[in-house]
Amino acid sequence: MKIGVLALQGAFREHCWMLERCGATALEIRKPAELDDIAGLIIPGGESTTIGKLMVQWGLMEKIQTRASQGMAIYGTCAGMIMLAKEIIGSDQPRLGLMDMAVRRNGFGRQRESFEAAMLVPEFGSEPVCAVFIRAPYIERASENIEVMAIVDDKIVIARQDKMLVTAFHPELTNDDRIHKYFISMINE
Ligand code: GLN
């Protein structure tokens, strides 16, 4: 199975390694035409304003929206989660706007710029997920078509809407491949 990783900026290489480890073929995506051939797309963490600007410049915004409407699955981590939100609180930066939620950038505050949290996520079994948060956003509001999968400090940090999955943290920086495996199973559904 071919899965693309948006490779404009940020932590895309780690996602590619994780996908390969899970048995998928990872492709770095920079041009609109490269989206034709993939069953799923990962939008990595990084700086969402930069990723958004480059997505507009490289003509990727509309093409990703079109491919999503055709059923291509998307997984956004951290800045990738911000890119998927309809509403980014206090910002008019470019976005895909595909998920019915409002996100708050850097929502965990300065004292907690980066931290790790262990959380139990029923979908991933009885072993807690160890999540690495780096200047992470969270979901402040989600409409009822969004499935909330994990909450930390009363903040939503994993969610799913149809074939779109988001995590506020970076599983690609850990050894835990369950979330990537879950994304692959979403594509296969
Ligand atoms: N704070 C970044 C942003 O707002 C996201 C950080 C990350 O992706 N690790 O885009």
Side-chain angles (χ1 to χ4, degrees):
M1 175 192 295
K2 288 183 189 165
I3 300 179
V5 181
L6 194 68
L8 302 176
Q9 192 258 343
F12 56 87
R13 286 187 191 86
E14 292 82 356
H15 277 294
C16 291
W17 296 331
M18 194 61 115
L19 287 170
E20 297 276 346
R21 183 176 132 177
C22 295
T25 302
L27 299 173
E28 291 183 7
I29 303 292
R30 295 185 183 83
K31 300 194 193 104
E34 293 166 341
L35 292 159
D36 286 327
D37 206 25
I38 51 174
L41 175 70
I42 293 181
I43 304 176
E47 182 52 48
S48 60
T49 49
T50 307
I51 293 175
K53 219 179 282 171
L54 293 171
M55 270 167 78
V56 173
Q57 257 171 40
W58 292 64
L60 286 156
M61 202 63 97
E62 278 179 25
K63 181 75 188 217
I64 294 174
Q65 287 162 336
T66 305
R67 290 288 292 118
S69 72
Q70 295 165 344
M72 179 184 73
I74 306 181
Y75 169 30
T77 52
C78 204
M81 169 169 121
I82 297 168
M83 292 307 305
L84 280 166
K86 280 222 164 95
E87 185 182 347
I88 304 168
I89 294 162
S91 173
D92 60 2
Q93 67 192 77
R95 71 206 64 178
L96 289 161
L98 293 168
M99 288 179 71
D100 300 318
M101 60 188 189
V103 298
R104 192 172 285 282
R105 294 178 64 197
N106 306 317
F108 287 89
R110 284 188 187 279
Q111 281 77 37
R112 300 190 76 191
E113 286 233 315
S114 78
F115 64 98
E116 289 183 22
M119 58 201 172
L120 277 173
V121 185
E123 278 82 357
F124 306 136
S126 57
E127 192 69 25
V129 173
C130 177
V132 178
F133 292 82
I134 305 168
R135 294 191 304 115
Y138 67 83
I139 300 170
E140 190 160 302
R141 286 190 301 280
S143 71
E144 65 270 20
N145 53 341
I146 291 200
E147 181 192 346
V148 173
M149 294 170 67
I151 292 177
V152 166
D153 289 357
D154 296 327
K155 299 170 168 79
I156 304 171
V157 296
I158 310 181
R160 176 178 176 177
Q161 178 180 339
D162 306 321
K163 289 228 165 206
M164 289 174 290
L165 176 71
V166 287
T167 61
F169 54 89
H170 289 265
E172 79 284 5
L173 301 181
T174 71
N175 239 331
D176 192 339
D177 58 13
R178 283 176 291 170
I179 298 184
H180 289 77
K181 283 188 174 140
Y182 178 80
F183 180 57
I184 292 171
S185 76
M186 274 172 59
I187 298 174
N188 284 326
E189 268 170 21

